[in-house]
Amino acid sequence: MGLFGGRKTVFVDADILVIGGGMAGCGATYESRYWGRDLKIVCVEKANIERSGAVAQGLYAINCYMGMQWGENQPEDHVRYARNDLMGLVREDLGYDIARHVDASVHKFEEWGLPMMRDPKTGQYQREGKWQIMIHGESYKPIVAEAARKAATGVYNRIMVTHLLMDQSKANRIAGAVGFNVRTGDYHVFRAKAVIVCAGGASHIFKPRAVGEGMGRTWYAPWSSGSCYALPIQVGAKMTQMENRIVLTRFKDGYGPVGAYFLHLKTYTQNGYGEEYEKRWYEDTKALVGEYVDHHPVPTCLRNHALLKEVAAGRGPIRMVTKEAFQDPHKETVGWENFLGMTIGQAVVWASQNIDPKHINPELTTSEPYVMGSHATCSGAWASGPEDCAPADYQWGYNRMMTVDGLFGAGDTIGGTAHKFSSGSFAEGRIAAKAAVRYVNDLGKTQLQVSEQEYRDLEKVIYQPLENYRVGRNEIVAGTVSPSYLLPIQGLQRLEQLMDEYVGGISTNYMTNAVMLNRGLELLTMLKEDMSSMGAEDLHQLQRTWELQHRLLASESVTRHTLFRQETRWPGYYYRGDHMKLDDENWHCFTLSRYDRKTGEWAMEKAPVHHIID
Ligand SMILES: Cc1cc2nc3c(=O)[nH]c(=O)nc-3n(C[C@H](O)[C@H](O)[C@H](O)COP(=O)(O)OP(=O)(O)OC[C@H]3O[C@@H](n4cnc5c(N)ncnc54)[C@H](O)[C@@H]3O)c2cc1C
């Protein structure tokens, strides 16, 4: 392929375009076909939907299942649980909507062949915890992908979507997307009436604990590059709760899951001297967050907080006590199987470090921060809620439509709704798709206009890093440092360092303040300026460049939201040193932002938190 010649432009027309074929994208593709029998439904994915997204390696538990058929939990219970864990701030309408539909999606997974574990006595799904059920989930993603493949008019794998396209005939209306094939280099122009963004959250925006050869060893999938935030931000969609980054307590170095250990194997933690430590930090935590510390279960961030304080007091490392549970051969088997279906790397790390959890209590650590809207935090786009239960100011159109007409989202993309996990993300994809089909039907014969000028201009921008490299490469004889271009890895490390040092990463123990955030914004601006000098050696590096662009925009959003919220709402996730306390009087609200791509300005505002469940 030549750099600017010999590359094909592939045009694809669709009624509904689903960007990202992970859990939410597969749900959206599947459901679009159910309601839109005659519609053209296209799913575009930067990897291959067979094994893409955060569930690529498989899972051992489905973390969001009500069990309504057995009277285990009701949707209202789940809203209360998520609200408590997020220190009071969730979109209860959206959470309720997912909770009332999620069981049906899990039943579909079983129907499609996902092996579920069952309690031998009751025949019910085997519970790991109140909300989690256990599965033999190594093939979870291929099973879900098959349903999407069969439903789609076409699945376009290996296409990295870089930008959304707007309708030229009506302001603030979506009309498609562009991207490139990461294997052939072909340019893809998708024209669509409705777009559902399901492109996953963001890892590697903060410097990871493991660097150098170990930099891929993060908790969150390294390929999650924040596209689900950057794509809507670029076109002016409002975002919410972007400051609400997640920090996970996990097994050190391998980041293996701890849920089955705590909940099913009944393990517990202690400090380096074998002492219980969480109670020790009760008064300290209460001084920061008041009565939230007395809630049950203790919010995830507050448990992180106790761990961080104990380590800072010089009594680390924190260990999980596994030696007792692992004396039971059944529990030992469950402990190891937990990794086999999900994070084999943890078993490998333990083997390499001579850790047998039957004889040694393994260390826990807190991860670097990530941004995601489907796990225990709720960053993402501000979306219209369900007609029957969303308060009036949360409703401006179709369910899960963002503040841009025809632009929908699900999973990590949508903000305000933590704890949806794999099953809830799939269910939310289905919810968004049903609404998107209605939107397309309501459009009727309306013709959308995509500007040739716009997608041709974007084409130049998208491929420019290849040209920068080709020309700049001549200026050096060896090595990777060039006077005229910046490689994606260099840009990524610069981003990670500044986010880490100024926006509350591991090196400051998650601490930041207005002065640091403002300096972070200055450095982000300089990095943004330098992005026009990115050099990409090949298509793989071109993909890395665009992933970095998306991470950068998501990072700026995180930084601006963190600056805007003048309180420490979630100690253990991050701290505003200049506003160390939770402040319900002024900040029991959502933070919203809107980016204006013409001016580069961000507008920030507050939105009320409506409690619709008692
Ligand atoms: C480490 C980890 C452990 C987890 N454990 C559990 C668990 O035990 N149980 C549970 O129920 N849930 C678990 N979850 C949560 C679950 O994986 C997520 O909630 C779910 O995958 C979110 O769905 P999604 O579709 O939003 O994102 P994903 O499933 O990550 O899908 C995003 C998709 O978008 C694609 N994409 C990204 N950018 C682009 C682009 N620019 N162009 C085209 N395609 C793009 C990606 O390749 C990917 O396929 C875990 C998550 C993580 C990270």
Side-chain angles (χ1 to χ4, degrees), residues 19-25 44-49 52-55 59-64 140-141 159-162 198-201 219-221 223-228 231 250 255 257 342 372 374-375 410-413 420-423 425-426 550:
I19 301 177
M23 287 307 292
V44 52
E45 160 63 48
K46 73 174 177 178
N48 184 318
I49 67 166
S52 68
V55 179
L59 294 178
Y60 197 67
I62 287 177
N63 284 353
C64 182
Y140 190 7
K141 186 65 209 302
I159 314 284
M160 165 95 198
V161 173
T162 56
C198 302
W219 169 79
Y220 198 176
W223 50 82
S224 296
S225 51
S227 298
C228 84
L231 292 170
R250 288 291 181 271
Y255 295 101
M342 185 167 169
M372 61 191 304
S374 71
H375 207 274
D412 284 327
T413 309
K420 38 195 167 189
F421 293 99
S422 61
S423 46
S425 296
F426 186 90
H550 288 179

Side-chain angles (χ1 to χ4, degrees), residues 31 75 167 172 206 209 250 336 385 411 421 523 547 563 590:
E31 194 74 8
D167 183 19
N172 199 41
F206 287 85
R209 286 198 186 273
R250 288 291 181 271
W336 286 110
F421 293 99
L523 293 170
E547 289 177 339
L563 182 61
F590 295 114

